[in-house]
Amino acid sequence: MPQMLNVSPAEQGVRLINLHRPDVLNALNTELLGELAAALAAIEQDPDTRVVVLTGSRKAFAAGADINEMAERDLVGILNDPRVAHWQNISAFSKPLIAAVNGFALGGGCELVMHADIIIAGEDAKFGQPEINLGIMPGAGGTQRLLRAVGKSLAMQMVLSGVAIDARHAERAGLVSEVTQPELTVERAIALARLIAQKAPLALRLAKEALLKAQDTDLASGLRFERHAFTVLAGTQDRKEGIAAFQEKRPAHFTGQ
């Protein structure tokens, strides 16, 4: 079976992962999701990789789930769907994950984008959850993450109508952080990733966890977690290095200790 994922070596703390099923606009079948989950699990253990950029092609980040594969599954097949575990493993990735999106990010593709921590979009990007047109609904976090990202009204509009929004609309709604020229999308995402990769790894991990916690818990619980994480970082060598570098007016060299 051909490889459906291209993973670059770590460079300046950053790896680039390319979805690669060009004949079907990177439709997310079980094998592709499994390869992505396995790649992220391996990168989790790689100290040389601090940030990951995930992208597709200029035409499509991912146009959705693999409909042909989906059509073969009945109710029992859906209940036993191995993709559920792959989605959970992707969601559990603890290092910063940046999505660089050009073209279509629809259905499962939009859901995969929303697993990223930061989304950089080309001006030609389209985001949508068109599952309703197939008589179904999003099933990999589309209703839950989208509502948290863009609010109730727009999420309802996108999911119930199946109509996609463009990159500028997505930016205004808070789904993406930046919009760039399509030919610069990956370049901008890598530049941002390299900037983030210079920061203290343990601080990045706990800051990401605290920010995600804000989506899932009440304010008081979130504040308790934030303070606990802040206190834990007080015992790290990177904190000492960061303060010393600031006082000595030099760049900090963080090691993740």
PDB file of all heavy atoms in Angstrom, residues 4-8 16-21 26 32 53-57 186:
ATOM      1  N   MET A   4       0.675   7.253   2.611  1.00  0.00           N
ATOM      2  CA  MET A   4      -0.307   8.322   2.480  1.00  0.00           C
ATOM      3  C   MET A   4       0.088   9.574   3.239  1.00  0.00           C
ATOM      4  O   MET A   4      -0.681  10.522   3.323  1.00  0.00           O
ATOM      5  CB  MET A   4      -1.677   7.834   2.965  1.00  0.00           C
ATOM      6  CG  MET A   4      -2.215   6.660   2.177  1.00  0.00           C
ATOM      7  SD  MET A   4      -3.827   6.124   2.764  1.00  0.00           S
ATOM      8  CE  MET A   4      -4.125   4.723   1.684  1.00  0.00           C
ATOM      9  N   LEU A   5       1.312   9.561   3.784  1.00  0.00           N
ATOM     10  CA  LEU A   5       1.769  10.649   4.626  1.00  0.00           C
ATOM     11  C   LEU A   5       3.244  10.880   4.349  1.00  0.00           C
ATOM     12  O   LEU A   5       4.016   9.936   4.243  1.00  0.00           O
ATOM     13  CB  LEU A   5       1.585  10.244   6.094  1.00  0.00           C
ATOM     14  CG  LEU A   5       1.352  11.314   7.142  1.00  0.00           C
ATOM     15  CD1 LEU A   5       0.026  12.020   6.904  1.00  0.00           C
ATOM     16  CD2 LEU A   5       1.350  10.676   8.522  1.00  0.00           C
ATOM     17  N   ASN A   6       3.640  12.126   4.190  1.00  0.00           N
ATOM     18  CA  ASN A   6       5.050  12.481   4.070  1.00  0.00           C
ATOM     19  C   ASN A   6       5.460  13.263   5.298  1.00  0.00           C
ATOM     20  O   ASN A   6       4.855  14.301   5.606  1.00  0.00           O
ATOM     21  CB  ASN A   6       5.288  13.323   2.807  1.00  0.00           C
ATOM     22  CG  ASN A   6       5.015  12.556   1.529  1.00  0.00           C
ATOM     23  OD1 ASN A   6       5.277  11.361   1.449  1.00  0.00           O
ATOM     24  ND2 ASN A   6       4.470  13.227   0.526  1.00  0.00           N
ATOM     25  N   VAL A   7       6.485  12.772   6.000  1.00  0.00           N
ATOM     26  CA  VAL A   7       6.942  13.406   7.237  1.00  0.00           C
ATOM     27  C   VAL A   7       8.382  13.843   7.054  1.00  0.00           C
ATOM     28  O   VAL A   7       9.258  13.011   6.773  1.00  0.00           O
ATOM     29  CB  VAL A   7       6.833  12.443   8.440  1.00  0.00           C
ATOM     30  CG1 VAL A   7       7.235  13.154   9.727  1.00  0.00           C
ATOM     31  CG2 VAL A   7       5.413  11.875   8.549  1.00  0.00           C
ATOM     32  N   SER A   8       8.643  15.123   7.215  1.00  0.00           N
ATOM     33  CA  SER A   8       9.992  15.636   7.031  1.00  0.00           C
ATOM     34  C   SER A   8      10.839  15.361   8.261  1.00  0.00           C
ATOM     35  O   SER A   8      10.313  15.168   9.360  1.00  0.00           O
ATOM     36  CB  SER A   8       9.949  17.146   6.782  1.00  0.00           C
ATOM     37  OG  SER A   8       9.679  17.838   7.998  1.00  0.00           O
ATOM     38  N   LEU A  16       7.401  18.942   9.288  1.00  0.00           N
ATOM     39  CA  LEU A  16       6.273  19.174   8.394  1.00  0.00           C
ATOM     40  C   LEU A  16       5.674  17.830   8.008  1.00  0.00           C
ATOM     41  O   LEU A  16       6.383  16.947   7.526  1.00  0.00           O
ATOM     42  CB  LEU A  16       6.735  19.924   7.148  1.00  0.00           C
ATOM     43  CG  LEU A  16       5.669  20.176   6.066  1.00  0.00           C
ATOM     44  CD1 LEU A  16       4.588  21.111   6.589  1.00  0.00           C
ATOM     45  CD2 LEU A  16       6.317  20.724   4.794  1.00  0.00           C
ATOM     46  N   ILE A  17       4.372  17.683   8.209  1.00  0.00           N
ATOM     47  CA  ILE A  17       3.647  16.486   7.807  1.00  0.00           C
ATOM     48  C   ILE A  17       2.695  16.861   6.678  1.00  0.00           C
ATOM     49  O   ILE A  17       1.876  17.762   6.824  1.00  0.00           O
ATOM     50  CB  ILE A  17       2.851  15.872   8.976  1.00  0.00           C
ATOM     51  CG1 ILE A  17       3.793  15.427  10.106  1.00  0.00           C
ATOM     52  CG2 ILE A  17       2.002  14.701   8.493  1.00  0.00           C
ATOM     53  CD1 ILE A  17       3.070  14.824  11.297  1.00  0.00           C
ATOM     54  N   ASN A  18       2.817  16.137   5.562  1.00  0.00           N
ATOM     55  CA  ASN A  18       1.962  16.350   4.401  1.00  0.00           C
ATOM     56  C   ASN A  18       0.988  15.186   4.226  1.00  0.00           C
ATOM     57  O   ASN A  18       1.424  14.036   4.102  1.00  0.00           O
ATOM     58  CB  ASN A  18       2.796  16.446   3.114  1.00  0.00           C
ATOM     59  CG  ASN A  18       3.030  17.870   2.687  1.00  0.00           C
ATOM     60  OD1 ASN A  18       4.090  18.401   2.940  1.00  0.00           O
ATOM     61  ND2 ASN A  18       2.053  18.483   2.050  1.00  0.00           N
ATOM     62  N   LEU A  19      -0.296  15.451   4.231  1.00  0.00           N
ATOM     63  CA  LEU A  19      -1.264  14.441   3.818  1.00  0.00           C
ATOM     64  C   LEU A  19      -1.069  14.201   2.322  1.00  0.00           C
ATOM     65  O   LEU A  19      -0.900  15.160   1.557  1.00  0.00           O
ATOM     66  CB  LEU A  19      -2.684  14.930   4.086  1.00  0.00           C
ATOM     67  CG  LEU A  19      -3.000  15.390   5.515  1.00  0.00           C
ATOM     68  CD1 LEU A  19      -4.431  15.908   5.591  1.00  0.00           C
ATOM     69  CD2 LEU A  19      -2.781  14.274   6.518  1.00  0.00           C
ATOM     70  N   HIS A  20      -1.079  12.935   1.905  1.00  0.00           N
ATOM     71  CA  HIS A  20      -0.732  12.662   0.504  1.00  0.00           C
ATOM     72  C   HIS A  20      -1.629  11.577  -0.087  1.00  0.00           C
ATOM     73  O   HIS A  20      -1.263  10.413  -0.214  1.00  0.00           O
ATOM     74  CB  HIS A  20       0.733  12.255   0.401  1.00  0.00           C
ATOM     75  CG  HIS A  20       1.213  12.123  -1.016  1.00  0.00           C
ATOM     76  ND1 HIS A  20       1.286  13.195  -1.871  1.00  0.00           N
ATOM     77  CD2 HIS A  20       1.618  11.045  -1.721  1.00  0.00           C
ATOM     78  CE1 HIS A  20       1.727  12.779  -3.055  1.00  0.00           C
ATOM     79  NE2 HIS A  20       1.929  11.478  -2.992  1.00  0.00           N
ATOM     80  N   ARG A  21      -2.856  11.985  -0.435  1.00  0.00           N
ATOM     81  CA  ARG A  21      -3.742  11.152  -1.266  1.00  0.00           C
ATOM     82  C   ARG A  21      -4.284  12.063  -2.369  1.00  0.00           C
ATOM     83  O   ARG A  21      -5.480  12.394  -2.407  1.00  0.00           O
ATOM     84  CB  ARG A  21      -4.906  10.575  -0.452  1.00  0.00           C
ATOM     85  CG  ARG A  21      -4.521   9.575   0.619  1.00  0.00           C
ATOM     86  CD  ARG A  21      -5.779   8.914   1.184  1.00  0.00           C
ATOM     87  NE  ARG A  21      -6.347   7.945   0.247  1.00  0.00           N
ATOM     88  CZ  ARG A  21      -7.632   7.561   0.247  1.00  0.00           C
ATOM     89  NH1 ARG A  21      -8.481   8.078   1.120  1.00  0.00           N
ATOM     90  NH2 ARG A  21      -8.080   6.681  -0.636  1.00  0.00           N
ATOM     91  N   ASN A  26      -6.999  14.143  -0.706  1.00  0.00           N
ATOM     92  CA  ASN A  26      -6.606  13.823   0.674  1.00  0.00           C
ATOM     93  C   ASN A  26      -7.775  13.360   1.542  1.00  0.00           C
ATOM     94  O   ASN A  26      -7.796  13.619   2.755  1.00  0.00           O
ATOM     95  CB  ASN A  26      -5.900  15.007   1.335  1.00  0.00           C
ATOM     96  CG  ASN A  26      -4.573  15.328   0.679  1.00  0.00           C
ATOM     97  OD1 ASN A  26      -3.884  14.440   0.177  1.00  0.00           O
ATOM     98  ND2 ASN A  26      -4.215  16.595   0.667  1.00  0.00           N
ATOM     99  N   LEU A  32      -4.987   6.447   6.325  1.00  0.00           N
ATOM    100  CA  LEU A  32      -4.351   7.762   6.455  1.00  0.00           C
ATOM    101  C   LEU A  32      -4.419   8.270   7.893  1.00  0.00           C
ATOM    102  O   LEU A  32      -3.424   8.751   8.438  1.00  0.00           O
ATOM    103  CB  LEU A  32      -5.020   8.765   5.517  1.00  0.00           C
ATOM    104  CG  LEU A  32      -4.515  10.210   5.586  1.00  0.00           C
ATOM    105  CD1 LEU A  32      -3.015  10.294   5.430  1.00  0.00           C
ATOM    106  CD2 LEU A  32      -5.223  11.070   4.542  1.00  0.00           C
ATOM    107  N   VAL A  53       3.920  21.069  11.910  1.00  0.00           N
ATOM    108  CA  VAL A  53       3.041  21.723  10.939  1.00  0.00           C
ATOM    109  C   VAL A  53       2.397  20.636  10.093  1.00  0.00           C
ATOM    110  O   VAL A  53       3.088  19.778   9.537  1.00  0.00           O
ATOM    111  CB  VAL A  53       3.821  22.711  10.046  1.00  0.00           C
ATOM    112  CG1 VAL A  53       2.908  23.270   8.948  1.00  0.00           C
ATOM    113  CG2 VAL A  53       4.407  23.845  10.882  1.00  0.00           C
ATOM    114  N   LEU A  54       1.085  20.680  10.009  1.00  0.00           N
ATOM    115  CA  LEU A  54       0.319  19.695   9.239  1.00  0.00           C
ATOM    116  C   LEU A  54      -0.332  20.399   8.059  1.00  0.00           C
ATOM    117  O   LEU A  54      -1.004  21.423   8.229  1.00  0.00           O
ATOM    118  CB  LEU A  54      -0.753  19.062  10.127  1.00  0.00           C
ATOM    119  CG  LEU A  54      -1.709  18.059   9.484  1.00  0.00           C
ATOM    120  CD1 LEU A  54      -0.964  16.836   8.975  1.00  0.00           C
ATOM    121  CD2 LEU A  54      -2.805  17.655  10.473  1.00  0.00           C
ATOM    122  N   THR A  55      -0.154  19.852   6.857  1.00  0.00           N
ATOM    123  CA  THR A  55      -0.736  20.479   5.676  1.00  0.00           C
ATOM    124  C   THR A  55      -1.178  19.416   4.685  1.00  0.00           C
ATOM    125  O   THR A  55      -0.939  18.224   4.872  1.00  0.00           O
ATOM    126  CB  THR A  55       0.280  21.460   5.033  1.00  0.00           C
ATOM    127  OG1 THR A  55      -0.400  22.281   4.074  1.00  0.00           O
ATOM    128  CG2 THR A  55       1.424  20.716   4.353  1.00  0.00           C
ATOM    129  N   GLY A  56      -1.830  19.887   3.621  1.00  0.00           N
ATOM    130  CA  GLY A  56      -2.254  19.000   2.548  1.00  0.00           C
ATOM    131  C   GLY A  56      -1.616  19.442   1.252  1.00  0.00           C
ATOM    132  O   GLY A  56      -0.397  19.546   1.152  1.00  0.00           O
ATOM    133  N   SER A  57      -2.440  19.776   0.272  1.00  0.00           N
ATOM    134  CA  SER A  57      -1.944  20.272  -1.010  1.00  0.00           C
ATOM    135  C   SER A  57      -2.485  21.674  -1.241  1.00  0.00           C
ATOM    136  O   SER A  57      -3.269  22.199  -0.444  1.00  0.00           O
ATOM    137  CB  SER A  57      -2.387  19.345  -2.144  1.00  0.00           C
ATOM    138  OG  SER A  57      -3.799  19.426  -2.312  1.00  0.00           O
ATOM    139  N   VAL A 186       2.138  27.564   3.849  1.00  0.00           N
ATOM    140  CA  VAL A 186       3.034  26.632   4.540  1.00  0.00           C
ATOM    141  C   VAL A 186       4.262  27.370   5.058  1.00  0.00           C
ATOM    142  O   VAL A 186       4.713  27.132   6.194  1.00  0.00           O
ATOM    143  CB  VAL A 186       3.431  25.471   3.611  1.00  0.00           C
ATOM    144  CG1 VAL A 186       4.464  24.566   4.284  1.00  0.00           C
ATOM    145  CG2 VAL A 186       2.196  24.658   3.219  1.00  0.00           C
TER     146      VAL A 186
END
